[in-house]
Amino acid sequence: MVSPILELTNINKSFGHVQANKNINLKINKGTIHGIIGENGAGKSTLMSIVFGLYQANSGSIKINGKDINLRSPRDSIINGIGMVHQHFMLVENFTVLENIILGFEGETVFGEKLAKAKEDLEKLCENYNFNIDLDATIADLSVGFRQRVEILKSLYRGAEILILDEPTGVLTPQEVDELFKILRSLRDEGKTIVLITHKLIEIMDLTSEVSVMRQGEMVGHTKTKDTDKEKLAEMMVGRSVLLRVDKKETKKGEVIFKVNNLSVKDDLDVIRVKNVNLEIRSGEILGIAGVTGNGQTELLEALSGIRKVKSGNIELFGEKISDQDNFLNPRMLKEKGLAHVPEDRQRMGLISDFKAYENLIFGYHDQEPFSKSALLNSKEITEYSSKIMQEYDVRPNSPNLITSNFSGGNQQKIILSRELNENPKVLLVGQPTRGVDIGAIEFIHQRLIHMRDKGAAILLASVELDEILSLSDRIIVMFDGKIVGEKENENVTDRELGLLMAGVA
Amino acid sequence: MSNIVVDKSKVPWWVSNVIVPLVNLTLALLVSGLFIFIAGENPIEAVKLIIFGSFGYIQGFAYTLYYTTNFIFTGLAFAVAFHCRLFNIGGEGQAYIGGLGVFLVAINLSFLPIPIVWLLSICGAFLFGAAWAYIPAYLQSKRGSHVVITTIMFNFIASSLMIFLLVDVIRDTNQMAPHTVKLPEAIWLPSFEAFSGILGIKIRYSPLNLTFLLAIASLFFVWFLVWKTKWGYEMRAVGHNTQAAIYAGISPHKNIIIAMCISGGLAGLLGVNEILGVSHKIQAGFPAGYGFTGIAVALMGRNHPIGILPAAFLFGILYQGGSEVTFEMPNITRYMFVAVQGLIILFSGALENLFRPQIESFFVRRLSKEVSV
């Protein structure tokens, strides 16, 4: 019997009245890849933050190699051989890879011998695990996949034996995911222990040997991966059986109601990010835009929704030109014409997190009756409406007066969705509708989008989740470097094919 | 150093809005006490003098409320702009120009019925203050010139402009000092002692006048504007998240200008108190730092009218009580109280977050224990 390298016993952690972790027990064996899966807000990240010393548990003990340890800060964890790769990378963009890795561990005032030594050590590490990284490259020049490798390398260099990865694949292309998994497997073969936090069942099945499932702050089960399957895991996560594929009828396509001709768009730095894009959407159709983040989808959606100016080309709604380089309608006018927009970054754009829920539920529609008359907001009407619509879209908790940042990601997304769908838009632009949203809410959001389609809306869906594109879209286009590099009917198209297009190689 | 992570949603409102400001205030006063002690006076006696000076007799209390009036205007001015995330440091200049507005309207239209003169003068103050804030607002929204820098510059410009006007254009030519003629007595705002006279109480002169009620009304006005109208809603949206505002079709340019103009207008109302209420003429330098202290008032009052009222009152007490202390205690000069104000600004503004995490996590722990027991 192998003794576990990391053992958590009866970990409890609460924030005020909310108990984020309840009596968590977890054993992780050396040299394995252990998955921790659960919905958003299930307490996975909290638990791992405790292991990494970012939070202190209220009670319970942590053992490493059978020895009780006390982790008061990330530094303690690093000393004890625990490394963590966060969802959002902690890198200084204008430093080189080497500078980032030794940051905080420079060891001398003026760089000299130790730096040279560090470089040598790192080169050896890179070679061992096939990292394929140029240590002198500047972070800003590296792709997301490589930045993640830098984070992993940083942990290894600091002596990590246990590596925690928090949702590592969220920002990667399928090919990059493959590369990452290769690295993780070779690390495991070298005897490192890997803890993989994810909400993607396919990754668990693909990579791990053991999996622990969390739900609402509790550990609901541990199992060997080979003894389970996706459906069982999903059921454990959500506590009921879940429809993993979207139930979708054949669509009744109508007229082309939204058309984009030779559109080019610049970003804030005057770089052209959308290059000569042509597309059209019929009513009753979902057009999916696949692509790695940062290939122009953001700017495209912003131009289509009236937030960003068009450089050249034009956009037509019901045959009427709504934007070209000389003039454009602002988002409010577009809303009146029946175009709604669920922005891809809800924190940055979709809502105001310091506002109360009811204030966000009327955001953008606040100057329409019955929400306001002349200049006055009609609080009574707004609150009644909010509470009704929150019920309808199952926003939990149903408290219109709660500050929006206190809602979970999924519920925040439902707030936006309910606001944008409630007006029955004819054209709906949707960006990353389920980013950071739990499985239960994903199912709900997908059903709503299909429902809108069946009611005859033309929907443009941009998502970096290929599964989402594949399961919702009727037609798929792929964007790479601002251009549309491929268009496929969503029949017989595989994620491999799309992946190659997304990477710009096909 | 350990980082204290406090879940903000679990902090009761009274901890962040009452306890924390009180702790900061107490600290500022303790340090002030130390200074008074070093200066060779008894801090306890000084506190007694402050309390007596500001509450102990009617005239003193009236002075306290007169100062409070000015602080309400400048505090609200800062708060309105701040809801749109604009640091309007230019209250001083806007108040100065607002004074010009009151005076010009009042002296040129004094033939009209008195209440109409008052009303128009108030509008004059508001419009002149707003106009002075409009230029930095325009520069911010169209040219991206930071409003902090431009409003500071505009304080100096306002000061120079007013000196020029007071020396060369609107000076009372019967004498040499840089001030104007007095307004006709008929249109002066009724003073506090005039009111008491009607009730049969005779009290000595104080500068408190009807403008105090205008200040109270302004508190309501700001609360209503910011939280009950769609203008306030849009202003806050732009302030909290400009990107989101653009997404919702709300124009940041328009709202920056509206917020700054209302802010400048409120600062301008200080001129009503000073000119229509107290001195009845424009004197060089009449805003006397109220515009700057208003920043501290707003920060202490957490930019909410309900907080600004007590904060303005507190500074009123300090001004009035402080002058009593300097009168009675020869070792303590007027500047000592400027330092005390500075300490309050330091502790409740710049060092606002010094103890906040500790205090909040203390209460969060205490309260969650009570629940779990």
Side-chain angles (χ1 to χ4, degrees):
Chain A
M1 180 71 205
V2 268
S3 73
I5 185 166
L6 176 68
E7 187 174 4
L8 307 179
T9 322
N10 283 322
I11 297 281
N12 278 292
K13 173 72 187 172
S14 47
F15 298 102
H17 300 318
V18 178
Q19 200 161 12
N21 285 158
K22 285 176 228 168
N23 290 323
I24 303 281
N25 292 300
L26 178 66
K27 283 181 193 168
I28 290 173
N29 292 324
K30 190 170 162 53
T32 61
I33 299 180
H34 192 115
I36 295 183
I37 193 162
E39 292 193 89
N40 272 50
K44 315 179 292 261
S45 292
T46 306
L47 186 66
M48 287 305 125
S49 297
I50 290 170
V51 174
F52 192 56
L54 284 167
Y55 296 145
Q56 277 74 52
N58 298 120
S59 65
S61 71
I62 303 174
K63 281 183 189 167
I64 289 184
N65 287 323
K67 256 198 322 208
D68 263 311
I69 55 161
N70 196 359
L71 301 172
R72 300 179 149 274
S73 73
R75 221 176 173 92
D76 288 345
S77 300
I78 293 167
I79 290 165
N80 281 295
I82 300 171
M84 185 157 178
V85 176
H86 296 269
Q87 218 168 340
H88 304 285
F89 304 143
M90 315 270 178
L91 297 170
V92 183
E93 293 237 340
N94 50 359
F95 275 17
T96 65
V97 173
L98 182 63
E99 284 167 335
N100 264 289
I101 291 174
I102 60 165
L103 194 63
F105 290 77
E106 300 91 347
E108 56 189 342
T109 319
V110 180
F111 291 141
E113 282 169 40
K114 289 196 177 165
L115 189 69
K117 172 86 169 52
K119 194 167 177 189
E120 209 172 286
D121 291 347
L122 281 166
E123 272 163 358
K124 218 172 283 167
L125 269 177
C126 287
E127 208 167 307
N128 276 352
Y129 299 111
N130 275 323
F131 270 59
N132 208 2
I133 288 182
D134 174 10
L135 292 174
D136 295 320
T138 307
I139 295 293
D141 299 334
L142 295 182
S143 72
V144 178
F146 275 97
R147 290 183 197 198
Q148 191 174 49
R149 284 187 210 180
V150 175
E151 286 279 8
I152 296 174
L153 193 58
K154 187 161 84 180
S155 291
L156 293 176
Y157 176 68
R158 292 175 183 182
E161 285 302 314
I162 306 170
L163 194 60
I164 305 168
L165 294 122
D166 190 0
E167 303 277 2
T169 60
V171 286
L172 304 180
T173 62
Q175 281 74 13
E176 283 175 322
V177 172
D178 285 350
E179 290 291 313
L180 172 70
F181 285 6
K182 241 183 254 166
I183 290 176
L184 294 182
R185 288 197 185 95
S186 74
L187 285 171
R188 177 196 61 196
D189 297 342
E190 293 286 316
K192 307 275 184 200
T193 309
I194 290 160
V195 183
L196 179 73
I197 307 176
T198 181
H199 65 271
K200 290 184 192 157
L201 297 163
I202 188 156
E203 291 170 8
I204 293 286
M205 300 312 295
D206 209 17
L207 199 61
T208 63
S209 55
E210 275 121 36
V211 53
S212 304
V213 184
M214 289 187 76
R215 183 171 76 228
Q216 291 173 358
E218 284 176 277
M219 212 36 115
V220 291
H222 307 277
T223 167
K224 290 224 181 297
T225 310
K226 62 177 194 302
D227 300 337
T228 185
D229 58 41
K230 278 202 268 183
E231 279 69 26
K232 274 191 213 152
L233 283 176
E235 207 175 319
M236 276 164 89
M237 274 166 71
V238 185
R240 61 187 164 85
S241 56
V242 183
L243 203 61
L244 281 181
R245 282 217 66 87
V246 182
D247 204 7
K248 191 170 74 166
K249 290 193 301 272
E250 194 57 26
T251 177
K252 283 200 294 283
K253 286 189 195 177
E255 299 277 290
V256 172
I257 54 178
F258 193 68
K259 206 170 165 204
V260 174
N261 305 310
N262 292 317
L263 186 74
S264 294
V265 183
K266 282 182 179 176
D267 69 4
D268 294 336
L269 303 171
D270 253 9
V271 178
I272 300 180
R273 302 305 297 266
V274 177
K275 299 168 184 166
N276 263 326
V277 164
N278 286 291
L279 55 87
E280 47 182 51
I281 318 171
R282 293 170 182 279
S283 82
E285 178 186 44
I286 298 183
L287 175 65
I289 304 181
V292 180
T293 312
N295 278 293
Q297 304 96 312
T298 307
E299 289 77 10
L300 177 63
L301 279 190
E302 287 181 1
L304 298 186
S305 59
I307 296 169
R308 192 173 282 283
K309 266 192 190 156
V310 167
K311 184 185 159 274
S312 62
N314 60 56
I315 304 165
E316 288 172 36
L317 178 65
F318 297 116
E320 178 198 356
K321 217 175 267 179
I322 52 168
S323 291
D324 55 30
Q325 71 264 43
D326 297 321
N327 40 53
F328 71 111
L329 298 181
N330 78 24
R332 218 183 290 192
M333 290 141 121
L334 289 175
K335 279 190 174 114
E336 278 163 23
K337 291 196 179 293
L339 181 140
H341 175 206
V342 177
E344 58 178 14
D345 189 338
R346 61 175 167 270
Q347 303 290 351
R348 194 173 66 89
M349 203 173 260
L351 36 78
I352 294 180
S353 31
D354 298 333
F355 269 19
K356 291 176 174 168
Y358 75 82
E359 291 177 307
N360 273 314
L361 280 162
I362 59 165
F363 192 50
Y365 300 92
H366 57 277
D367 58 350
Q368 296 179 8
E369 297 215 27
F371 304 140
S372 66
K373 277 203 188 101
S374 56
L376 303 188
L377 291 176
N378 186 343
S379 312
K380 187 167 155 275
E381 197 70 46
I382 294 169
T383 319
E384 269 170 25
Y385 163 80
S386 302
S387 150
K388 196 186 92 208
I389 198 166
M390 284 168 89
Q391 176 95 39
E392 194 185 322
Y393 280 81
D394 193 29
V395 181
R396 277 176 277 182
N398 184 344
S399 5
N401 276 308
L402 195 63
I403 300 284
T404 310
S405 56
N406 294 334
F407 287 89
S408 72
N411 283 305
Q412 290 183 6
Q413 190 68 9
K414 284 186 198 168
I415 288 177
I416 297 178
L417 216 63
S418 66
R419 177 183 76 205
E420 298 302 323
L421 298 192
N422 191 52
E423 299 284 312
N424 279 320
K426 300 288 179 297
V427 176
L428 181 61
L429 310 172
V430 192
Q432 319 298 347
T434 56
R435 180 187 276 172
V437 167
D438 52 73
I439 287 200
I442 288 176
E443 191 188 0
F444 180 86
I445 290 169
H446 284 176
Q447 279 167 0
R448 284 283 164 169
L449 291 177
I450 297 289
H451 177 69
M452 287 300 297
R453 181 199 72 165
D454 292 345
K455 273 165 66 182
I459 301 179
L460 183 68
L461 168 75
S463 175
V464 290
E465 302 279 351
L466 261 191
D467 290 344
E468 183 162 82
I469 295 282
L470 284 166
S471 61
L472 288 178
S473 316
D474 301 303
R475 198 152 51 87
I476 298 170
I477 56 177
V478 182
M479 273 187 92
F480 176 76
D481 192 26
K483 288 182 285 242
I484 292 181
V485 291
E487 177 172 346
K488 309 255 172 197
E489 287 296 321
N490 189 8
E491 282 157 22
N492 311 320
V493 62
T494 63
D495 55 351
R496 292 286 107 182
E497 277 173 68
L498 291 177
L500 290 173
L501 286 169
M502 282 161 69
V505 283
Chain B
M1 208 190 99
S2 72
N3 287 318
I4 299 181
V5 183
V6 188
D7 183 353
K8 285 278 171 206
S9 63
K10 301 299 173 292
V11 181
W13 65 271
W14 48 269
V15 171
S16 40
N17 293 323
V18 180
I19 304 272
V20 174
L22 281 182
V23 169
N24 289 332
L25 179 64
T26 312
L27 279 167
L29 293 180
L30 283 178
V31 177
S32 309
L34 195 66
F35 282 171
I36 290 173
F37 180 72
I38 291 169
E41 297 284 355
N42 181 346
I44 309 277
E45 284 303 312
V47 170
K48 279 187 192 158
L49 277 172
I50 289 177
I51 292 175
F52 175 76
S54 50
F55 293 102
Y57 55 105
I58 291 184
Q59 194 198 11
F61 187 61
Y63 263 95
T64 305
L65 291 183
Y66 151 72
Y67 291 123
T68 306
T69 308
N70 282 344
F71 292 134
I72 289 176
F73 288 134
T74 53
L76 287 176
F78 184 82
V80 166
F82 189 77
H83 281 292
C84 201
R85 284 301 176 277
L86 297 160
F87 274 71
N88 179 11
I89 312 293
E92 193 78 6
Q94 290 143 15
Y96 215 165
I97 301 294
L100 182 66
V102 175
F103 183 80
L104 290 180
V105 171
I107 200 134
N108 289 312
L109 301 177
S110 57
F111 56 86
L112 290 170
I114 291 165
I116 301 214
V117 179
W118 290 346
L119 202 66
L120 291 177
S121 309
I122 291 170
C123 293
F126 195 92
L127 289 177
F128 271 60
W132 200 247
Y134 174 80
I135 309 167
Y138 177 84
L139 292 173
Q140 166 83 66
S141 80
K142 291 286 182 215
R143 315 286 313 171
S145 320
H146 205 287
V147 91
V148 168
I149 310 291
T150 48
T151 50
I152 290 177
M153 291 173 170
F154 267 69
N155 286 337
F156 286 96
I157 300 174
S159 177
S160 308
L161 176 67
M162 289 300 285
I163 294 291
F164 163 69
L165 292 175
L166 285 171
V167 171
D168 284 341
V169 185
I170 53 173
R171 180 166 52 90
D172 173 6
T173 45
N174 295 321
Q175 47 90 55
M176 293 304 292
H179 63 70
T180 61
V181 291
K182 282 204 168 190
L183 294 168
E185 192 165 348
I187 61 167
W188 295 0
L189 278 177
S191 64
F192 177 56
E193 67 264 22
F195 272 113
S196 333
I198 296 167
L199 297 172
I201 310 163
K202 240 181 107 71
I203 56 162
R204 280 188 295 157
Y205 169 79
S206 80
L208 182 63
N209 61 75
L210 202 62
T211 318
F212 181 68
L213 297 182
L214 178 66
I216 299 296
S218 302
L219 287 166
F220 278 105
F221 165 74
V222 167
W223 170 77
F224 191 78
L225 172 83
V226 174
W227 281 281
K228 294 289 160 190
T229 67
K230 78 178 183 203
W231 299 323
Y233 177 89
E234 294 194 354
M235 263 164 50
R236 284 184 293 131
V238 170
H240 280 295
N241 187 339
T242 310
Q243 284 287 335
I246 294 170
Y247 154 78
I250 297 169
S251 157
H253 303 297
K254 197 177 101 192
N255 280 284
I256 285 172
I257 286 173
I258 292 177
M260 279 299 286
C261 286
I262 293 173
S263 173
L266 286 163
L269 293 183
L270 184 135
V272 177
N273 194 26
E274 288 296 322
I275 288 156
L276 212 53
V278 183
S279 66
H280 313 116
K281 60 179 184 252
I282 306 178
Q283 287 170 302
F286 78 83
Y290 292 114
F292 292 117
T293 313
I295 300 168
V297 170
L299 288 175
M300 230 187 130
R302 302 193 69 76
N303 295 302
H304 194 290
I306 293 174
I308 287 172
L309 179 63
F313 188 55
L314 172 81
F315 274 87
I317 293 169
L318 276 177
Y319 258 53
Q320 167 56 16
S323 58
E324 196 84 7
V325 172
T326 51
F327 195 67
E328 298 283 334
M329 293 182 159
N331 286 341
I332 296 189
T333 64
R334 198 166 67 79
Y335 297 105
M336 198 79 174
F337 270 84
V338 177
V340 173
Q341 285 169 32
L343 283 168
I344 294 182
I345 296 173
L346 186 69
F347 275 93
S348 63
L351 299 180
E352 217 243 355
N353 287 325
L354 190 58
F355 298 105
R356 179 175 292 276
Q358 284 83 349
I359 296 169
E360 287 182 344
S361 73
F362 170 78
F363 277 98
V364 167
R365 258 180 287 136
R366 276 289 296 273
L367 293 169
S368 60
K369 246 177 228 156
E370 274 168 35
V371 170
S372 57
V373 163

